[in-house]
Structure formats: structure tokens, C-alpha cells
């Protein structure tokens, strides 16, 4: 069966339905060395805000614990976010969990503010990559960037 590229890029919140427990249990965490590289390269500090798109059960947010001031995490699957919130209790980093997909970024970006860095881990291939990067252009501070 042939599927058009456009159909693959549309977010389907049902696509990962009921997988949140497996993501939380079996999905590998983000290696500390990777976080060290991102933090050093972008000079991330405790006053900086980070946007994580396609956050799943929060692996990037947990790996960034204590490295930034705030993480705003987006995911189209509400169960992924519920799982992340359960694990995040007691975090010292300010965390915001928003139920929306990358295709919604254009609509919600005016309410998000700006960020030092946007991260997209293990999800960029599901997104309309060109549009996401265009939307991020308005959200990322001049001395920041995108880590994929």
C-alpha cells in the first residue's frame, strides 16, 4: 500500500494510544553525555526555558533536571503526558505539560513565549519538519537553537 507523505505527517493522537506504560518502562533515557553537549553548546542555565516537542513520557525533561529553569513539554497523546506528570512529581525544574502536537505549534506559539532551545527527541520523523522549523524560528532566542 502506498501512503502519501502528507498523510504520514499528520498527527494522529490515537497512534500511540495505550503505549504510555511501555514508553515509561522500556524507552531508553537520554544519555547524560548528550544533555551535557546540548547544555554546553547552547550555554543553558537555570534562568533558561526549554521547549520539548513530542515529549512522550518526559525523558528529555527528566534528563534536563536541574540544568534549566523551565521545561515546556508538548505531546499530542494525553496519556503520555499523564504518565510524565506522575513521574515528574517532586521535580525541581518548573514543568509545563501541554497536550498538543507539532502541527498545533503555529496556533499555540503566541502563548508560549520564547525559549533558549527547542528539543525534539525521537519524534522529528513524525512531523512536518519544514513547518515545525518555521514555527520554531519565532520561538527561539537569538543565542539559542534547536536540538534534534
Amino acid at each position: 500500500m502506498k501512503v502519501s507523505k502528507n498523510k504520514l505527517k499528520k498527527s494522529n493522537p490515537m497512534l500511540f494510544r495505550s503505549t504510555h506504560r511501555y514508553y515509561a518502562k522500556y524507552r531508553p533515557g537520554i544519555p547524560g553525555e548528550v544533555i551535557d553537549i546540548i547544555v554546553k553548546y547552547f550555554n543553558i542555565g537555570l534562568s533558561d526555558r526549554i521547549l520539548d516537542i513530542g515529549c512522550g513520557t518526559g525523558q528529555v525533561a527528566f534528563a534536563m533536571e536541574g540544568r534549566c529553569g523551565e521545561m515546556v513539554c508538548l505531546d499530542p497523546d494525553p496519556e503520555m503526558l499523564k504518565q510524565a506528570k506522575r513521574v515528574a512529581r517532586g521535580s525541581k525544574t518548573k514543568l509545563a505539560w501541554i497536550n498538543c502536537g507539532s502541527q498545533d505549534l503555529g496556533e499555540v506559539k503566541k502563548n508560549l513565549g520564547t525559549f533558549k532551545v527547542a528539543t525534539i527527541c525521537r519524534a522529528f520523523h513524525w512531523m512536518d519538519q519544514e513547518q515545525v522549523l518555521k514555527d520554531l524560528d519565532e520561538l527561539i532566542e537569538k543565542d539559542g537553537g534547536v536540538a534534534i
Side-chain angles (χ1 to χ4, degrees):
M1 175 170 73
K2 187 176 180 180
V3 179
S4 77
K5 184 178 178 183
N6 288 339
K7 288 188 181 198
L8 285 175
K9 296 299 179 183
K10 289 185 179 177
S11 177
N12 178 355
M14 302 301 284
L15 187 62
F16 296 100
R17 186 175 185 182
S18 77
T19 62
H20 60 280
R21 288 185 192 99
Y22 301 107
Y23 267 64
K25 187 172 182 177
Y26 299 110
R27 192 88 180 199
I30 309 303
E33 298 85 3
V34 172
I35 297 301
D36 291 342
I37 290 168
I38 294 169
V39 168
K40 184 176 180 181
Y41 185 84
F42 292 109
N43 193 28
I44 296 171
L46 294 177
S47 63
D48 292 317
R49 300 176 74 226
I50 309 299
L51 176 66
D52 187 26
I53 304 171
C55 69
T57 56
Q59 286 91 349
V60 174
F62 304 135
M64 288 293 293
E65 175 71 28
R67 308 300 276 294
C68 64
E70 180 181 7
M71 291 282 307
V72 175
C73 306
L74 311 179
D75 201 275
D77 186 324
E79 293 302 318
M80 292 280 190
L81 296 176
K82 285 180 189 175
Q83 181 69 34
K85 287 178 189 179
R86 280 193 287 274
V87 177
R89 288 188 186 124
S91 174
K92 293 175 184 138
T93 302
K94 182 179 178 183
L95 297 168
W97 307 98
I98 301 174
N99 184 210
C100 73
S102 61
Q103 76 283 356
D104 304 314
L105 199 54
E107 294 174 32
V108 301
K109 65 184 174 185
K110 61 185 167 281
N111 299 320
L112 294 176
T114 59
F115 299 89
K116 179 76 170 243
V117 173
T119 59
I120 306 171
C121 181
R122 303 176 182 138
F124 196 52
H125 61 285
W126 292 106
M127 300 175 187
D128 180 340
Q129 297 167 358
E130 186 176 331
Q131 185 60 53
V132 168
L133 294 174
K134 283 179 185 176
D135 290 333
L136 287 174
D137 193 43
E138 297 175 35
L139 293 171
I140 303 301
E141 297 167 4
K142 294 199 183 305
D143 62 341
V146 178
I148 300 172

